[in-house]
Amino acid sequence: MTATLYTNARIVTCDGQVSRDPAAGALEVQTEAGRITAVGPDLPRRGQKIVDCGGRMMTPALIDCHTHLVFGGDRANEFEMRLDGVAYEEIARQGGGIRASMLATRAMSVEELVQASLPRLDHLLAEGVTTVEIKSGYGLSIEAELNMLRAARRLGQIRPVRVLTTWLAAHALPPEYAGRHAAYIQEVAIAGLEAAHAEGLVDAVDAFCEGIAFSSAMLEPLFLRAQALGLPVKIHSEQLSHQGGTALAARFNALSADHLEHATAADAALMAASGTVATLLPGAFYMLRETVLPPVQAFRDHGVPMALSTDCNPGTSPLTSVLLTMNMGATLFRLTVAECLLAVTANAARALGLQGETGRIAPGLSADLALWNVTRPAQLVARIGFNPLHTRIFQGKSQ
Ligand code: DI6
Ligand code: FE
């Protein structure tokens, strides 16, 4: 197999320093058999296929590390209710919210879920995404949760994309378990996790730690089971209130804690010690018109890596644009341009345990690259509703 040499690009490796103004041609990238084999100035010519990038900017391909992309139905009606002043938590208490999506999701076959989710996935891919995490969490019964992850795996087979699947049965309490949180965790979240794991459907385990969902004490048995199965954990924590989910997750060396608007500096210190990534989800913050900002400066001070993700879901973040997410990370959360780019590449890879596989332009990693019709990272983050993707490269193959 011949190698490919990408020349005349402004390469932002996201491996260490993110360059503000990469110079065209200063670095070259060589790929072979789907991997990056060399990065550097003036790489030796030895018969590789030469791709002249025309002075364009090249970055690692983008990663969406927190999505609920597979679901049935839509919840535009709840959007209207919120415009009328009804709070998200109130809608959930009235049986809307996650439970409304549960009814629509349970009614669909795996194939129907795949078809409903494909346009959302395709929208991400069109923006240079090559890795997507997809959670269960709208089935809330063992079989319906398994079907969501079967659909997620299928999406990864029919499109050129790396799909990571996350077991999020502990997302909400279905009506048949009303008032019986502990029983739900045992009989559905844990029993189903074992079935899903046996079927090869689980890359990580997640849970929603919130007043309207589960307390950290309720979630501990689930995380213990995940740990026993050798599965990494993640958590939705401190989104609407401070519940202590981040501290629980840090005790289990979670890959990431996500949302975190109500997290504290003490949480940041725990995350730093456990190597847990802070995944910020500005789409949900925006949709819910939240006002409490995540403690970004505390994450910086403690050296907690920050990721950004769409949180693509039918209720609080019907967002399928990683580029817009970067813009929101900067505008709403005051991340720098360099932080925004790392947040959807190197740090997003870390949030999935994939730091040795993708998310940086470095020798040995998968050749997952994006070539853009811009010359500087700021041009990727500054614009709204604009897609400058020129070429998406997944495992060395251009699309
Ligand atoms: N936090 C979120 O933002 C989503 N899930 C979660 O735990 C919202 C899910 C939904 O409203 O459908
Ligand atoms: Fe979420």
Side-chain angles (χ1 to χ4, degrees), residues 68 75 88 98 138 171 208 236 239 259 284 311 313-316:
H68 310 253
R75 307 225 304 270
Y88 175 64
I98 293 170
Y138 289 116
H171 193 199
F208 189 19
H236 286 66
Q239 179 189 8
H259 285 290
D311 194 17
N313 76 62
T316 58

Side-chain angles (χ1 to χ4, degrees), residues 15-92:
D15 188 31
Q17 264 319 100
V18 178
S19 158
R20 269 174 89 87
D21 272 306
L27 289 177
E28 296 174 331
V29 175
Q30 179 181 280
T31 67
E32 188 165 4
R35 313 299 293 186
I36 297 166
T37 50
V39 181
D42 305 318
L43 294 180
R45 276 31 182 185
R46 45 174 189 80
Q48 306 98 319
K49 177 184 162 201
I50 306 277
V51 177
D52 183 332
C53 297
R56 294 181 179 86
M57 183 174 78
M58 176 183 276
T59 66
L62 306 188
I63 297 169
D64 200 354
C65 67
H66 175 143
T67 87
H68 310 253
L69 187 98
V70 169
F71 59 81
D74 87 283
R75 307 225 304 270
N77 61 320
E78 293 179 15
F79 178 72
E80 286 190 286
M81 287 170 77
R82 288 204 303 277
L83 288 176
D84 282 340
V86 187
Y88 175 64
E89 285 156 293
E90 178 56 30
I91 292 171

